[in-house]
Amino acid sequence: MTRDKLDRLADLRAACTLEKHAEARRQLTLLGPTPWPVPTAADPDQERLERWILHRCAWPNGITAYPFGFQHVTPEPDHLTIHVESNPEHVRELVKELLPNEYEGDLGGVPGLRAGRDNTGAPLLYLAGTRASVTLRGIAAKDWQVAVTGWRSHLASIGARPLWDISPTAMSMEESDLLQWFDPPSTVKRPCWLASALLRRIGTFTASGLPARLTGWTTGGTQHDRWKFEFEFIPGHRRAHERVLNLLTHPEVGLPLRVTKDVCSCRSGHGHGCWATLQATSGHQGSVQLLFHDCDPGTVTSWESRWPAQFAQIRAGNSAKTADRAAADCGSPQENPS
């Protein structure tokens, strides 16, 4: 691979993952000859773990400077590293949303998830009985330990049972029951490729700038995922949502998605917002709907007084126009043939 091609692919990868250019270039070199600068998860269990993480984290309770509090990701075929905002409040939220527990027959967190440490001391999340794993970086060891201890104490106070440190090789009955409800044996197994691929492209959600608030959700209990994401911007920010579509459908770093609807008021500055729908192609199942609009000014004022540090990062990022140049140069949305 020529130096120019490696640099171009590193730019594209960095636009998707939010890695620094040098790190994206290094990761591409480690991957070796491959047609896909952003690798897909090679194992269905890895996809499943990543889907559950996005599912649990896509609706933050507070404001995060980056999508769902994830600053950047480093995807590998058999692993994913998520670099997390170093905010104790966000760490507590992650612990609450991810670590599984049982209370009066109801299950919270990610079923089958177990928590440990990697060889550097960073939190390591894995699925019981599988090789699937995700590393969380950027979290101070003390903050993680305090959050886990606090959550364990809270669960004990209400009579709930922690499940994240039981058998590393088997799920509890409650976890297995939930998974059977979520993926009934009589139906086609729920595909997890779409959520996994979106998580591995966290930078896509910043291609039109850093939103003041980003939330996502999916239709549950169906045989294919229908994801919806709402981008709420500080008034005055140009909602260049075509940059998001360009990355999602890019032939080298995008997904097998086709834009089926695109209602735009970005350029006119009028209307209540923009929205677009992308449908899976090439035999894949799933869809993504995106909604872009401005926040109410009063809401922004309230949020900014509550989360000043996060809003300082959002404003600085947008005023500096840090959307990656690769996203701007991708061209028109198109169907990804992969």
Side-chain angles (χ1 to χ4, degrees):
M1 185 185 302
T2 66
R3 181 185 296 271
D4 286 347
K5 182 177 181 179
L6 182 60
D7 282 335
R8 182 181 65 81
L9 293 178
D11 278 343
L12 285 169
R13 174 176 166 124
C16 292
T17 64
L18 296 181
E19 296 166 306
K20 299 294 186 184
H21 175 86
E23 177 61 17
R25 199 175 190 277
R26 188 179 78 86
Q27 291 295 329
L28 286 175
T29 302
L30 292 174
L31 282 173
T34 173
W36 308 120
V38 182
T40 59
D43 182 78
D45 289 322
Q46 184 68 34
E47 284 187 335
R48 183 156 58 103
L49 174 58
E50 293 172 16
R51 184 207 180 277
W52 271 101
I53 289 175
L54 183 61
H55 177 70
R56 296 295 302 177
C57 296
W59 195 294
N61 282 333
I63 296 297
T64 58
Y66 291 89
F68 322 122
F70 301 151
Q71 286 187 323
H72 65 278
V73 297
T74 302
E76 303 170 66
D78 59 351
H79 188 71
L80 178 68
T81 300
I82 301 175
H83 300 258
V84 179
E85 288 185 25
S86 56
N87 176 348
E89 181 182 1
H90 180 57
V91 173
R92 290 193 297 270
E93 185 70 15
L94 280 178
V95 166
K96 177 182 175 183
E97 291 297 328
L98 296 178
L99 300 191
N101 63 88
E102 181 271 329
Y103 177 65
E104 295 184 348
D106 292 329
L107 188 74
V110 176
L113 185 140
R114 303 293 181 258
R117 299 274 187 172
D118 71 1
N119 56 8
T120 70
L124 179 67
L125 310 178
Y126 60 96
L127 280 182
T130 76
R131 299 176 64 87
S133 63
V134 170
T135 300
L136 303 180
R137 297 207 177 276
I139 301 176
K142 180 181 178 181
D143 289 344
W144 180 259
Q145 188 59 47
V146 167
V148 171
T149 301
W151 184 233
R152 190 190 299 275
S153 297
H154 171 75
L155 294 175
S157 71
I158 62 173
R161 182 164 64 103
L163 301 175
W164 64 84
D165 52 4
I166 60 174
S167 171
T169 59
M171 297 187 190
S172 68
M173 181 178 64
E174 294 84 0
E175 292 171 309
S176 297
D177 287 347
L178 178 61
L179 284 180
Q180 287 189 15
W181 172 85
F182 194 74
D183 282 322
S186 60
T187 69
V188 177
K189 188 172 180 63
R190 187 186 185 98
C192 300
W193 73 273
L194 180 55
S196 170
L198 290 171
L199 183 58
R200 286 170 171 249
R201 291 163 176 78
I202 201 70
T204 301
F205 297 102
T206 71
S208 61
L210 294 175
R213 181 166 171 79
L214 171 67
T215 50
W217 62 99
T218 184
T219 302
T222 63
Q223 293 182 11
H224 62 278
D225 276 350
R226 294 186 179 95
W227 279 92
K228 298 184 179 182
F229 297 94
E230 182 176 12
F231 298 70
E232 301 177 69
F233 289 98
I234 297 173
H237 176 74
R238 180 177 176 270
R239 302 188 304 268
H241 80 268
E242 70 275 6
R243 291 184 174 182
V244 178
L245 302 183
N246 290 344
L247 274 181
L248 284 175
T249 59
H250 193 277
E252 292 177 288
V253 293
L255 301 175
L257 295 171
R258 177 173 57 90
V259 177
T260 56
K261 288 188 179 180
D262 184 4
V263 180
C264 178
S265 64
C266 290
R267 293 178 179 82
S268 69
H270 301 296
H272 298 292
C274 311
W275 63 276
T277 300
L278 301 95
Q279 190 70 39
T281 64
S282 305
H284 292 77
Q285 294 179 321
S287 63
V288 180
Q289 188 174 83
L290 308 172
L291 173 64
F292 306 81
H293 65 89
D294 289 348
C295 295
D296 175 78
T299 300
V300 171
T301 299
S302 175
W303 285 348
E304 193 159 14
S305 65
R306 173 67 177 82
W307 292 281
Q310 287 83 347
F311 265 85
Q313 289 182 272
I314 292 167
R315 289 187 181 278
N318 289 336
S319 64
K321 298 180 181 179
T322 54
D324 200 279
R325 72 175 186 270
D329 294 337
C330 286
S332 300
Q334 55 190 295
E335 180 177 332
N336 186 333
S338 63

